[in-house]
Amino acid sequence: MVSPAVLKAIQFSLLPFVLLLAAWANSIAAAPGLPESFDPDPDIRSPEEFFGFAPGDRHPRHDQIAAYMEYLAEVSDRVSIEQIGQTHELRPLQLLAFASPERQAELDALRADRVRASRAGEGPAVVWLGYAVHGNEASAATAAVVTAWYLAAARGEEVQSWLDELVIVMEPVLNPDGLDRFAHWVNMHRGHHPSADPADREHHEAWPRGRTNAYWFDLNRDWLPLVHPESQARIRHYHQWRPHVLTDHHEMGPNSSYFFQPGVPERNNPLTPERNYELTARIAEYHGAILDAADEPFYTRETFDDYYVGKGSTYPDLTGGIGILFEQGSARGHVQDTDYGRRTFADAVANQVRTSLSTVQGAHALADELIAYQAEFFDQARREGARTRQSGWLVGDGGDPLRAQALLNLLFQHDVTLLPVTEAVTIDGRRQDAGTAWAIPAEQDQYRFLRSVLDPVLDLPMETFYDVSTWPLSMSWGLPVEPVRRLPAVGDALQAPPAVDVPAVADQALAWLVPWNQRGAAPLLAALLAEGYRVQTLTKPTRVSVSDGDERNLVRGSLIVHRGLQDDQAAGLQQRLTELSDQFKAEILATERGLVASGADLGSPSAPVLDPVKPALLVGEGLRATHAGYIWHWFDRYLEQPLTQLDWQRLRAVQLSDYSHLILPDGSYGRLPDSAVEQLRQFVLDGGVLIAARRAAAWVENLELDWDFVEENGSPGDEQESGPERRAYADFRQDRARRLIGGSALAVDLDVTHPLAFGYERSDLVVMRRGHHRLRAAQNPYSHVAVYSDEVLASGFLSDDNRQRLAGTPALSGTRHGRGAVVRMADDYLFRGYWLGTERLFANALFFSRLVGPTRLPED
């Protein structure tokens, strides 16, 4: 809450700005959101002159936006531009910097000195304007064009003072691939007289829609995982610039006005300093003033929170800046009738332009305070890290160097200091030798960020979350991570993530062996099967003599590539294994003996030959595109294998027997016609494997298969005849939020002897849980690969009712039906592309599900 004295001071400081607002109000601007008094440099072409249409009349493609930004950098000495990367679909990712010509000349030196300056409290203030992370929230991208023109071409004292005293960094389109999908859709449905009818086809994109990137991931959840090139490119430059203020421009539903932060105060991240919210409120006064002058309704402190660190408006809050979310009621096309009247695309663009300029205005007025806050933020972070009872965290590779490298690379991108451990240590009960463990000191600039991502949370001050309630990297990677009171012996800070070196593949062998408890094993297996090699798997723990004279223990699921089984391919086998080992960083052992010290001999029935796989993914309207995208991305980028996508509306035209596995992502399956449901049932009976995840896992229980479920005594929530206890109407949203599970880390207990859990050596595992569904328990006691632990909550929020509902229930189940099988996954084992600790469960379902045998005991 801002005090009356502070509010009065703000109002006084705003007076010059308010006087300028008259030019904005009730005017016919040169472009949406710009003042009538805007005096542009006539030598710089406007967006309308460049595109051939006025901003807001049509949706520009990304290549048009990129070309205009390049043009501005060519003709204006206030603008510099660089391509910082490219998207999956090869569109350029641009970053612009606006400053006076004198400051442009020293821009590289300023950026190189930003880390020191941010700690020392030295300027200039840096404002980062970010637009269109969701491609179908397109007013932001056009607003970037208009704002860029204004900053490059406006003549006047105010803009000149901004350019003299600030550095304004702009990321005009965070999601080019999604933006172009949406632009194509709405432009192809736009006539000369666009329809404002909300039911018009233009306002309802086809699946998967333009919100997401090329793989259907939500890039506004990727600031933490950094799975995608768009995020990786941005975060590198973000940490170089260390902006004081960062904007994140979005759209919301059409029947909404305009939102800007501060958000719901009770749902702020507890690790964010209170001063951050005070400054956010101070800057909000500038947004309110400019929107009031334009007679535009808006609101704050409702709907949106500031909690999940992986969003664009929250990540800066825990890394030294101030993130500000903007949400504009959308036209979802060119014009639409809404509860607030007829809204055009140009109307939406105008508000995004206005708040872009009010952000710069506010940051300029508060520059000294913002610079001082950032220095204080980093100083306090280092002091808190030094004073805490723990000196840092230790991370071990857990015997899987490739997975450890992925985690260390992620932390390195987040500007985290990492130190190599130079002595043997024990982490989470596992011995880690020097070179296989790393220390993360608490005393560093990113201490608050590290607490957010490494420390599990069980006691949260809120029960409602806009996104997930937890994101513990210490659990999601499935690696040994733990806090320590004193760091062991360490070396100098890493300058790059450690390289993964694998031993050379032996030239001669009877068979080559691939341990399954390493991240490179699954893509190696996928390649071998796709190329026609015969590969066996060990269904027993096995100890085997290897070519260097030692003996090695191999976990269940480890692979055998026997020279004698390869027919015509045996001659080039060693060379191909060497190539795959190098490609996937997988260790491959060699043996000259078919007899083993213990476990399964190489020709044993306990080492069956694996069938090749040809999977397909069900997609289409009603199914969750992001979850389908996680699966597609995993196949394409991790396994490096194609994945057929089948639209459920075309299933009648598909011969499902052509596929070994059919994967059902999360979604609503109620609209599938009876004919499609029967196809799925017959697919299983004829020998296919259904892999169903999240809500799909509960839905497949309705297929008419030979299920044998435990009968439940009553249903959760059954009420007495008098009905449920009366509740206040105002409590509905909070009650609903408690019942839902938006994202919590839950503990499960694994049966590591089951084929679907091969490769795991410990029974305890943490999964990401989303959704209220619950799987039914089977009568067969051998079918439950994983059950939720009695102490089910590992991190995040879970209501008492949900703890009771889920504890002891199936989390992962594999059952045979006819000649096929159904794998039910209650959770998302590929969550957002970074929950690597559970991805092996998905790989097992793909490669080992046919090993699940009948497990019915004889009748008494």
Side-chain angles (χ1 to χ4, degrees):
M1 181 66 69
V2 180
S3 70
V6 171
L7 183 58
K8 185 175 181 180
I10 293 171
Q11 292 170 339
F12 182 78
S13 67
L14 283 169
L15 185 57
F17 181 50
V18 172
L19 294 176
L20 291 172
L21 294 179
W24 265 273
N26 302 314
S27 64
I28 302 174
L34 296 182
E36 187 180 35
S37 60
F38 170 40
D39 178 25
D41 183 338
D43 292 332
I44 297 178
R45 294 162 65 191
S46 70
E48 181 173 3
E49 292 169 324
F50 191 89
F51 294 149
F53 57 86
D57 280 359
R58 297 188 67 85
H59 286 251
R61 301 185 312 269
H62 179 260
D63 64 291
Q64 294 172 306
I65 295 172
Y68 186 68
M69 297 303 180
E70 292 280 359
Y71 164 75
L72 290 180
E74 288 178 9
V75 299
S76 173
D77 56 7
R78 301 174 175 181
V79 187
S80 58
I81 191 170
E82 57 186 314
Q83 181 175 331
I84 61 174
Q86 61 183 20
T87 69
H88 289 294
E89 295 179 359
L90 308 183
R91 293 180 176 88
L93 297 166
Q94 296 176 317
L95 196 68
L96 289 81
F98 298 86
S100 65
E102 296 76 20
R103 179 147 284 165
Q104 287 284 351
E106 58 183 16
L107 217 54
D108 289 342
L110 276 173
R111 178 164 51 184
D113 192 45
R114 276 295 300 140
V115 171
R116 185 205 62 79
S118 68
R119 293 169 177 164
E122 297 176 8
V126 178
V127 179
W128 183 299
L129 304 176
Y131 302 90
V133 70
H134 294 148
N136 60 4
E137 298 173 8
S139 63
T142 294
V145 172
V146 175
T147 303
W149 176 43
Y150 186 77
L151 294 173
R155 295 183 292 189
E157 292 183 4
E158 183 182 41
V159 174
Q160 189 60 55
S161 67
W162 296 350
L163 299 170
D164 287 340
E165 299 168 27
L166 302 173
V167 173
I168 304 169
V169 179
M170 177 185 286
E171 195 175 5
V173 183
L174 279 72
N175 181 7
D177 295 344
L179 181 85
D180 271 6
R181 281 205 306 275
F182 181 69
H184 174 71
W185 176 268
V186 294
N187 285 336
M188 78 175 185
H189 289 97
R190 180 194 187 278
H192 287 288
H193 304 282
S195 173
D197 186 344
D200 188 81
R201 179 173 168 82
E202 178 187 356
H203 307 309
H204 302 277
E205 298 168 81
W207 196 95
R209 292 177 261 287
R211 174 185 176 92
T212 53
N213 79 339
Y215 284 103
W216 313 336
F217 277 61
D218 186 336
L219 290 179
N220 200 38
R221 307 298 184 268
D222 197 45
W223 282 74
L224 170 61
L226 302 181
V227 170
H228 298 281
E230 299 92 336
S231 307
Q232 294 166 8
R234 179 190 324 112
I235 215 70
R236 181 173 66 255
H237 289 268
Y238 171 89
H239 283 294
Q240 289 175 356
W241 275 114
R242 290 197 169 188
H244 297 87
V245 176
L246 180 145
T247 68
D248 186 19
H249 291 264
H250 291 256
E251 290 181 356
M252 51 185 166
N255 293 317
S256 307
S257 60
Y258 195 86
F259 168 87
F260 52 84
Q261 285 179 322
V264 181
E266 297 81 11
R267 286 157 46 191
N268 289 331
N269 193 301
L271 293 172
T272 302
E274 188 61 30
R275 178 64 172 154
N276 178 293
Y277 301 119
E278 293 172 0
L279 288 168
T280 301
R282 297 272 300 280
I283 296 172
E285 293 289 338
Y286 292 85
H287 310 321
I290 200 169
L291 293 173
D292 281 341
D295 292 334
E296 288 289 335
F298 61 86
Y299 71 99
T300 65
R301 300 185 302 276
E302 294 183 68
T303 311
F304 301 97
D305 63 27
D306 210 2
Y307 179 69
Y308 170 51
V309 72
K311 293 193 302 182
S313 57
T314 306
Y315 183 86
D317 296 343
L318 295 183
T319 54
I322 293 175
I324 304 177
L325 171 68
F326 299 95
E327 294 275 355
Q328 164 65 47
S330 179
R332 277 295 186 270
H334 292 90
V335 60
Q336 185 170 171
D337 289 332
T338 78
D339 291 348
Y340 290 83
R342 180 158 294 185
R343 178 178 293 131
T344 67
F345 182 46
D347 294 334
V349 171
N351 281 340
Q352 304 277 33
V353 172
R354 291 180 182 114
T355 53
S356 297
L357 300 183
S358 62
T359 298
V360 179
Q361 173 77 27
H364 180 257
L366 302 173
D368 290 344
E369 294 180 66
L370 293 168
I371 292 168
Y373 165 73
Q374 187 174 76
E376 180 185 19
F377 178 96
F378 289 125
D379 181 65
Q380 287 185 350
R382 293 190 299 272
R383 289 175 181 270
E384 289 176 19
R387 289 195 304 262
T388 185
R389 291 185 176 183
Q390 66 185 55
S391 58
W393 299 263
L394 294 182
V395 180
D397 72 3
D400 191 350
L402 191 62
R403 191 152 36 114
Q405 183 199 48
L407 176 56
L408 296 174
N409 181 52
L410 176 63
L411 294 172
F412 195 81
Q413 291 179 85
H414 285 298
D415 198 32
V416 170
T417 300
L418 302 167
L419 308 173
V421 174
T422 58
E423 62 178 331
V425 293
T426 299
I427 308 175
D428 195 23
R430 180 174 185 132
R431 177 187 170 90
Q432 298 282 172
D433 292 327
T436 67
W438 298 268
I440 307 171
E443 187 179 354
Q444 59 174 294
D445 287 356
Q446 304 302 342
Y447 171 66
R448 289 189 179 96
F449 171 80
L450 287 168
R451 284 189 58 193
S452 171
V453 302
L454 293 179
D455 290 347
V457 291
L458 296 173
D459 185 18
L460 287 165
M462 71 283 279
E463 298 180 338
T464 303
F465 305 87
Y466 189 75
D467 195 69
V468 294
S469 66
T470 189
W471 45 92
L473 300 186
S474 54
M475 297 175 175
S476 60
W477 246 255
L479 293 170
V481 180
E482 67 178 15
V484 290
R485 300 197 66 171
R486 177 174 297 177
L487 294 183
V490 295
D492 295 334
L494 297 179
Q495 299 303 307
V500 175
D501 297 317
V502 293
V505 179
D507 291 336
Q508 297 296 324
L510 175 69
W512 288 268
L513 312 169
V514 184
W516 190 242
N517 54 346
Q518 55 178 334
R519 190 164 193 248
L524 186 146
L525 172 59
L528 290 173
L529 293 178
E531 294 169 22
Y533 291 96
R534 292 190 180 93
V535 182
Q536 301 163 266
T537 188
L538 292 166
T539 61
K540 294 180 178 180
T542 298
R543 187 169 180 82
V544 61
S545 298
V546 293
S547 56
D548 61 6
D550 291 338
E551 289 189 347
R552 288 283 298 269
N553 293 318
L554 298 176
V555 299
R556 292 181 176 89
S558 296
L559 309 176
I560 305 169
V561 188
H562 200 295
R563 187 179 63 212
L565 298 183
Q566 306 311 319
D567 298 336
D568 296 338
Q569 293 179 303
L573 179 57
Q574 189 276 341
Q575 176 61 33
R576 185 61 183 133
L577 289 175
T578 295
E579 294 168 354
L580 293 174
S581 175
D582 291 342
Q583 179 179 353
F584 299 118
K585 302 300 180 184
E587 181 184 20
I588 300 178
L589 308 172
T591 184
E592 296 288 354
R593 293 169 53 83
L595 290 172
V596 300
S598 63
D601 292 328
L602 302 194
S604 164
S606 297
V609 175
L610 295 170
D611 293 328
V613 297
K614 186 180 179 182
L617 173 68
L618 208 63
V619 298
E621 199 63 49
L623 306 188
R624 187 174 291 275
T626 50
H627 188 219
Y630 304 159
I631 297 166
W632 176 27
H633 180 265
W634 185 78
F635 272 89
D636 199 44
R637 303 310 295 262
Y638 168 60
L639 289 189
E640 300 191 14
Q641 295 294 318
L643 176 64
T644 299
Q645 299 171 28
L646 301 177
D647 195 306
W648 65 262
Q649 293 171 312
R650 294 192 63 258
L651 271 187
R652 294 183 65 178
V654 177
Q655 191 69 33
L656 291 185
S657 59
D658 290 343
Y659 304 97
S660 62
H661 296 70
L662 188 57
I663 304 168
L664 276 57
D666 183 42
S668 176
Y669 285 81
R671 65 177 67 187
L672 262 67
D674 292 343
S675 59
V677 174
E678 174 59 23
Q679 275 185 281
L680 297 181
R681 187 185 78 89
Q682 199 61 49
F683 170 75
V684 174
L685 296 178
D686 290 345
V689 178
L690 272 187
I691 301 176
R694 295 184 58 184
R695 285 178 293 167
W699 178 80
V700 296
E701 297 171 354
N702 299 306
L703 294 179
E704 292 184 6
L705 299 170
D706 53 340
W707 298 107
D708 188 12
F709 291 124
V710 174
E711 292 296 326
E712 296 182 345
N713 297 321
S715 300
D718 279 353
E719 304 289 348
Q720 299 176 352
E721 291 184 8
S722 60
E725 179 184 351
R726 184 184 182 204
R727 298 283 296 165
Y729 179 82
D731 291 339
F732 166 73
R733 287 192 177 182
Q734 183 121 346
D735 290 346
R736 181 176 182 273
R738 288 194 195 98
R739 185 171 175 81
L740 297 175
I741 306 174
S744 305
L746 303 188
V748 300
D749 182 71
L750 278 179
D751 172 9
V752 297
T753 71
H754 197 287
L756 298 184
F758 278 0
Y760 290 93
E761 299 172 79
R762 293 174 50 157
S763 62
D764 55 315
L765 189 66
V766 175
V767 300
M768 172 52 81
R769 171 69 188 214
R770 306 193 81 188
H772 188 66
H773 55 276
R774 183 177 65 164
L775 303 188
R776 297 186 64 184
Q779 291 280 5
N780 186 335
Y782 306 100
S783 65
H784 296 155
V785 187
V787 297
Y788 293 110
S789 304
D790 291 339
E791 295 295 328
V792 63
L793 182 62
S795 184
F797 172 77
L798 192 67
S799 69
D800 290 340
D801 287 347
N802 279 322
R803 296 187 197 204
Q804 294 173 14
R805 284 182 64 250
L806 293 178
T809 65
L812 173 62
S813 177
T815 50
R816 291 191 61 84
H817 304 273
R819 293 163 49 206
V822 176
V823 178
R824 292 179 294 148
M825 300 173 172
D827 303 306
D828 184 355
Y829 298 148
L830 305 176
F831 179 66
R832 293 181 177 167
Y834 80 97
W835 209 273
L836 302 192
T838 53
E839 69 175 350
R840 188 179 294 131
L841 295 175
F842 206 94
N844 290 346
L846 178 66
F847 296 117
F848 301 150
S849 51
R850 292 183 181 275
L851 301 180
V852 177
T855 50
R856 292 185 181 274
L857 295 173
E859 299 289 342
D860 292 337

